[in-house]
Structures are given as structure tokens and as C-alpha cells.
Amino acid sequence: MSEYLAILNAVLMNIRDAVVLTDGDRRPIRVNTAFETLTGHGADVLMDGFGEHAEASFQMLTRAMETADGGLWQGKLRCADGTDRLFDVTISAVNGHSAFPTHYLGLVRLASGEDARRFGHDELTGLPNRDIFLDRVDQSVLQVNRSGGTMALMMMGLDRFTLINDALGHGAGDRLLVEVARRLRQCVRETDTAVRLEGDKFALVTNIADVDDSVIVAEKVLRTVKEPFAIDGQEVVCTFSIGIAVYPQDASSVSGVIKQAENALHHAKVSGRNQYQFFSKEMNRKAKNRLDLEARMRRALINQEFVVFYQPKVQAETNRIVGAEALVRWMDPDNGMISPGEFIPIAEETGLIEQIGSWVLRRSCEENKAWQVKGLNPVKVSVNVSARQFRARSLLETVSGILAETGLDPRWLELEITESMLMNDVESAVSKMTAIREMGIGLSIDDFGTGYSSLSYLGRFPITTLKIDRAFIADVDTNPKTAEIARAIIGLSRGLNLEVVAEGAEVADHISFLRDNGCSTVQGYYYSRPVPADQFERMLTEGVLYHT
Ligand code: C2E
Ligand code: MG
Ligand code: MG
């Protein structure tokens, strides 16, 4: 019998038809080599939830086997490359010795091209086709009409695709389109729809909160497609042109917005390709400003136009300076001082924040060390870490490198992070925070109370300090409810044995409230605005605060 099984197994693995075997409850238990060739999924698909696309595929496969009508099922299965393709599955019951089926055998075939088109899929790339596209645009427009927001429609064409096609042949051209489709799919969120309209023309339908978001998507698409492709052992470089129209700003109907996006695409092509163009001049100007700002920021890094200001943290009982927050400023030779609120968000989106952030960190460690070397009272300097910096793999290495270079004792450094940065992936956030704490560096939660974090996590985060957001401090003296929240946060930090710092204390009433309620460390305009390093050094030296 076992020899018989071995033979059956060898047959299964060697036949050229893709086959899936299920148990009596129609749960897939086995797939063969041909199935793997066809879908990219091997045994991984059977381990429910294993692998990036395997979970979806497993569910689809189970459904296919369960819902086969008269032994036939037609529908989409997710392949390992993330594409949904249309398959036919023919199912037969295997009864063995029992009266009821003990197993089911499913024969899996790619549906014919005709069927795939009817089903709304582009056969070559597996992306949705024009029919689905029109349907999605309709739905998006309805959604905007119902609940507001904006739909951005991007029409995208590969630049000089005919040249590539002629030079490398149609087969290679097709493979390039498949690769482009794959990259496109990686650029977009689950809720967006990327489609192939025809030939080298693709489109993206996306609902966005802010028109600026479409700039981010368009830049990402341009960047991703620009990377060289390896097609038949050759390196192929190609670029996209993108035209963007938004509903309802640019047009009041579905056909109108499609037409405007096509106009914008034309504009992008004639303006030199490898770029995006909005339909509206206003949007183009905004996008251009963003790009200018990014370029200027890169220059600012080279020309050392960034400076660190320090805002004292003061012990309210004694008026003694116990620390400072490092706050970056951009001294733009043309536009004067630019505040972080204006450039940090864009630095964050473009990735420049990693360089700017490391620079701020190095600079503030250097300056803090220099004050100590001069014999001034040592203080702890807090440095803001943005979400992207915190996520970066290199964070720990960067921080420990800077500490080693500057010779600053880690206990005089604190990193400020915000709640929202911790909630996506709590596990990895905790392990990163633990590593930071093990280096001897303090960890503070900035703007506490404004995020969405669940209090239950707070105990798990190895932090040292809570920083009450200035929104709560602003009206503690006038709004009893806010005062109650501030009191609760102070109590919470005491209970968790954390230091508590209030930010944004502007008037004497704030200070007395905080002092009376046990928050001893305070930062705010009442004591001092953020000041340049030399002024902060003077305050440290003379032990006085200059009220501003
Ligand atoms: P933040 O970390 O919450 O910093 C506190 C902000 O509150 C600072 O604004 C500070 O000047 C301001 N502030 C302090 N006391 C008072 C007060 O009494 N009243 C009022 N109305 N405001 C007060 P700033 O310097 O404009 O910084 C804004 C934000 O930019 C910071 O918020 C921080 O999130 C970010 N930021 C600043 N420097 C850096 C940096 O080097 N790296 C990163 N990633 N972000 C930074
Ligand atoms: Mg801060
Ligand atoms: Mg803050």
C-alpha cells in the first residue's frame, strides 16, 4: 500500500496539470509542482497565513473548493507575485472506501483570455482592465459625493515604449509591462486601484484626504519605475509620464475628470516626459513649490543653514535650568528663519529627515558636551526623533556613533518620540525602545494626550518621561475639564514612576497650577523661548533666565 501511495505521489508531482487535493471538508492539504509553476505558490499556500500573499490565496482556494457549482468554479486566485488572476477549477470527489467523499481533487487552469477580459482583468499583467477602471472611477466619485474628500485620477504612459518594443521585440516588451505592473502595485495602497488601460497606458484611481497626497504617490511611482529593469538578461531603463486630475476640483463629471487627466498626461509628455503634471495650474504651482523646497533643503544641509535652538526646561520650585529641548531652525539666506513646522513634514516625506535629524542630534550632543567641558552645570538635552527616523534600521547605530564621537555621557541625552509612532508595530517599537534605554539614554513621549495610544500599552513602553502636550496646559487656568486631564496625566506619570514635563507654559497661572499639582519640570515661553546656543550657554553660566 505504501508503495502504491508513493507511486500516486510521484504521478501527482509529475503531471503537467495543476492540482490541489483537499480533505473531506474541502480544506486544501496538498498542491503539486505544476500548481506551483502556475501560481507561484508551493506548499506555503497550505499553511494558512504563511507568506505575503499565501493567506489570501489559501482563503480563495478554500472558497473555490467549497463553492464549486456542479464541480466547476471560476474566479480569481491570488498568485505569489500579488496578482489576482482568473482561473477555472474543476473539482471531483474522491470517495475511497467510504460512502462520503474523503478527499476532493481540483484541477486548476488559467481561464481563457476571453473569459479574463469579461471578468475585468488584463490577461498580460493581471491588473484590472478598462471596464473595472470605469467602474472604480464611478464608485470613487460617488464616495466623494457622499462623504467628501477628493479623488485623484492619474493617467500614466511609459515613455518611448514603442522604441523599446521595436528594439527588444514584443516578448520583451510584454515582460517589461508585467514588471511595470508589479512595481505599480507595490506603490499603491490596498484602497487604490491600479489598472492597465491598453498598451503602455496605465491608470491609478485613489481617494485622498488632501490633494498634496497625490504628489507623494506620483513621485513614488516615478521613482519606482525609473529603477532599471532586468529583461531577458538586459538592463532596461524606462520612465513614466503622469497626468493628474482631481475630482471635484478639476471637473464635475466622471468623463470630465478622465479627460482632464488625459490632457495633463499629454502636457507631461510634451514637457519632456519622466514627470507628472496636474491639470490645474494652481496644483502644478503647489507641487513645484514642494520640489523647490526639497531641493533647497538638500542645499541647506550642504551649506549648513540649519541651527539648533535650545529651550530651557526649568524646575518650577527653584527656577533652576535642568535641561533643554533641542529645536531645529532653518536660516534660509533668502527667506530668513523657517520654523520646523514648515519643513519637517516635507523632510519626513522625502526622507531628508534622516540626514537633518542626525545632524541635529550630533550638533546638540557636541554643544552639550562643550558646555560640560567648560564646567557648567550638566543638563539633559532632549532631541526630537521623527517617525521615519525612529523606524530606520540605522537609528541605534547612528545614536551610539554620535555619542562615541562627541564623548557625551548618554545620561545627558533624551529622545522625544510621539505616541503615534509606537502604535503601528508595538513589538518592534518596544524592542527598539529597550535598546535605547539599555544604552543609558532617556526616552520621552512628546505631546502626550494628543495621540490615540491605548493606556494599556503605556506600562509596556520602557520610557522615562511623559511630556504633557501644550494644548492641555494652555487653558488649565480657565477650563476646569482641561485642568482635570492635566492633573490625571501628572498622577499617571507618578503612578508609573515616570518623570513628567509640561510644555507650553506661558503665564504665571500655568506655573502655579503645575507646581501645585506636582509637575516640577516646566518648559514654555513663560521661562524662555527657544534661543540660540550662545544665549542658552549664557543662561547656564549666569544661572538666570531671560524672560522673553
Ligand atoms: P515639539 O517637539 O512639541 O516642540 C515644542 C514646540 O512648542 C516648539 O515649537 C516650541 O517652540 C513650542 N513652544 C514651546 N513653548 C511654548 C509656549 O509656551 N507656547 C507656545 N505656543 N509654543 C511653545 P517649534 O520649535 O516650532 O517646533 C515645532 C515642532 O517641530 C516640534 O514640536 C517638533 O515636533 C518639531 N521639531 C523641532 N525640531 C525638530 C527636530 O530637530 N527634529 C524633528 N524630527 N522634529 C523637530
Ligand atoms: Mg518635542
Ligand atoms: Mg511637544
Side-chain angles (χ1 to χ4, degrees):
M1 184 66 184
S2 74
E3 189 191 341
Y4 189 54
L5 269 183
I7 292 170
L8 272 184
N9 193 40
V11 170
L12 192 64
M13 294 321 268
N14 282 299
I15 54 173
R16 292 176 59 180
D17 291 307
V19 164
V20 51
L21 185 69
T22 74
D23 63 13
D25 296 326
R26 302 198 180 204
R27 300 211 18 121
I29 51 173
R30 196 77 199 267
V31 294
N32 68 350
T33 324
F35 182 89
E36 184 167 1
T37 314
L38 186 64
T39 65
H41 289 297
D44 62 334
V45 76
L46 302 174
M47 293 176 231
D48 192 0
F50 185 84
E52 193 186 350
H53 301 295
E55 184 166 356
S57 315
F58 180 77
Q59 279 163 10
M60 289 178 187
L61 202 58
T62 311
R63 250 189 62 137
M65 297 303 285
E66 279 170 355
T67 56
D69 187 10
L72 271 178
W73 179 87
Q74 186 177 63
K76 286 183 293 177
L77 291 179
R78 177 149 313 160
C79 299
D81 64 0
T83 53
D84 289 332
R85 284 169 189 266
L86 187 67
F87 289 93
D88 289 324
V89 183
T90 316
I91 293 159
S92 40
V94 182
N95 282 41
H97 297 303
S98 138
F100 299 102
T102 53
H103 295 84
Y104 290 86
L105 196 67
L107 196 64
V108 183
R109 287 203 196 91
L110 206 53
S112 74
E114 191 49 41
D115 284 347
R117 269 190 298 282
R118 249 194 330 191
F119 208 72
H121 272 250
D122 169 45
E123 216 187 327
L124 177 67
T125 61
L127 288 178
N129 65 13
R130 183 178 278 276
D131 295 339
I132 300 267
F133 166 71
L134 292 172
D135 190 52
R136 289 296 152 82
V137 179
D138 271 340
Q139 282 178 19
S140 276
V141 162
L142 282 180
Q143 191 189 327
V144 171
N145 292 346
R146 214 176 322 132
S147 30
T150 301
M151 175 194 68
L153 179 61
M154 302 192 192
M155 290 285 184
M156 309 182 273
L158 277 179
D159 298 327
R160 302 196 175 83
F161 180 67
T162 11
L163 276 181
I164 296 175
N165 228 352
D166 291 347
L168 300 179
H170 288 278
D174 281 355
R175 281 187 283 286
L176 178 64
L177 291 173
V178 170
E179 280 303 308
V180 167
R182 196 208 325 259
R183 288 193 190 172
L184 208 52
R185 212 174 289 119
Q186 283 168 357
C187 284
V188 303
R189 300 164 305 179
E190 289 264 315
T191 45
D192 302 341
T193 309
V195 301
R196 176 168 174 237
L197 294 175
E198 74 218 337
D200 63 353
K201 216 157 148 213
F202 297 82
L204 190 66
V205 189
T206 147
N207 279 71
I208 49 181
D210 188 322
V211 186
D212 284 359
D213 292 349
S214 54
V215 174
I216 301 170
V217 180
E219 276 177 8
K220 200 163 158 195
V221 171
L222 287 183
R223 248 196 332 268
T224 315
V225 171
K226 220 161 44 185
E227 290 290 311
F229 293 90
I231 304 290
D232 299 347
Q234 287 207 49
E235 190 168 282
V236 178
V237 179
C238 72
T239 55
F240 249 151
S241 293
I242 305 178
I244 310 172
V246 290
Y247 176 88
Q249 289 85 340
D250 291 342
S252 56
S253 68
V254 169
S255 59
V257 77
I258 292 177
K259 190 148 167 281
Q260 311 299 42
E262 270 167 359
N263 284 337
L265 172 60
H266 177 71
H267 194 135
K269 290 252 183 204
V270 299
S271 317
R273 303 185 170 94
N274 185 25
Q275 58 178 282
Y276 58 88
Q277 287 283 341
F278 283 93
F279 172 72
S280 89
K281 289 201 181 64
E282 159 74 11
M283 277 304 303
N284 274 330
R285 218 194 42 244
K286 272 179 84 177
K288 191 169 167 306
N289 283 347
R290 261 183 55 105
L291 282 181
D292 284 351
L293 187 66
E294 188 187 341
R296 275 168 43 219
M297 261 192 290
R298 284 185 199 283
R299 267 203 309 274
L301 264 170
I302 298 168
N303 299 343
Q304 308 195 351
E305 290 165 16
F306 292 109
V307 289
V308 178
F309 274 34
Y310 296 88
Q311 185 175 34
K313 290 184 186 172
V314 177
Q315 195 165 52
E317 295 289 330
T318 58
N319 277 1
R320 218 166 55 92
I321 300 175
V322 290
E325 175 170 11
L327 294 156
V328 69
R329 299 287 181 265
W330 176 4
M331 301 299 181
D332 184 358
D334 302 325
N335 302 291
M337 191 168 89
I338 306 181
S339 77
E342 276 179 61
F343 64 88
I344 293 281
I346 290 163
E348 172 84 14
E349 278 164 21
T350 55
L352 269 175
I353 190 68
E354 291 190 37
Q355 279 164 279
I356 298 177
S358 309
W359 182 85
V360 171
L361 189 66
R362 177 170 295 109
R363 188 81 183 144
S364 30
C365 288
E366 258 166 27
E367 285 178 324
N368 197 14
K369 178 71 185 182
W371 296 323
Q372 294 180 6
V373 170
K374 285 183 184 167
L376 301 176
N377 241 342
V379 293
K380 192 173 356 174
V381 172
S382 319
V383 179
N384 293 286
V385 172
S386 80
R388 187 154 179 161
Q389 278 175 282
F390 186 73
R391 274 200 315 266
R393 260 173 221 281
S394 53
L395 177 73
L396 298 173
E397 215 178 303
T398 308
V399 175
S400 64
I402 287 173
L403 285 173
E405 274 170 48
T406 56
L408 182 76
D409 186 330
R411 64 200 251 236
W412 302 116
L413 175 65
E414 181 178 70
L415 300 182
E416 290 192 3
I417 54 186
T418 57
E419 295 160 80
S420 51
M421 290 156 50
L422 307 175
M423 302 316 292
N424 285 342
D425 184 352
V426 174
E427 288 311 318
S428 82
V430 167
S431 74
K432 203 156 232 179
M433 294 166 94
T434 309
I436 292 171
R437 288 291 302 123
E438 278 167 0
M439 288 162 69
I441 300 166
L443 256 181
S444 168
I445 302 228
D446 202 356
D447 306 339
F448 184 76
T450 58
Y452 308 99
S453 70
S454 132
L455 283 181
S456 62
Y457 280 117
L458 209 55
R460 286 188 54 197
F461 294 142
I463 49 172
T464 50
T465 312
L466 281 188
K467 232 177 145 178
I468 313 175
D469 189 71
R470 67 168 181 268
F472 297 114
I473 307 303
D475 50 358
V476 281
D477 49 337
T478 51
N479 185 340
K481 283 193 177 143
T482 318
E484 209 42 63
I485 295 173
R487 255 186 230 112
I489 299 177
I490 296 169
L492 183 68
S493 12
R494 195 175 306 135
L496 292 169
N497 208 8
L498 300 172
E499 212 185 310
V500 58
V501 178
E503 69 179 9
E506 295 186 350
V507 294
D509 283 347
H510 295 161
I511 308 293
S512 47
F513 171 89
L514 291 164
R515 203 185 305 138
D516 294 348
N517 287 283
C519 175
S520 61
T521 313
V522 181
Q523 174 187 346
Y525 292 173
Y526 175 78
Y527 288 118
S528 168
R529 289 184 178 256
V531 295
D534 56 344
Q535 272 188 52
F536 181 69
E537 182 180 329
R538 226 171 57 227
M539 290 187 204
L540 275 184
T541 315
E542 297 168 12
V544 281
L545 289 151
Y546 301 100
H547 286 260
T548 43

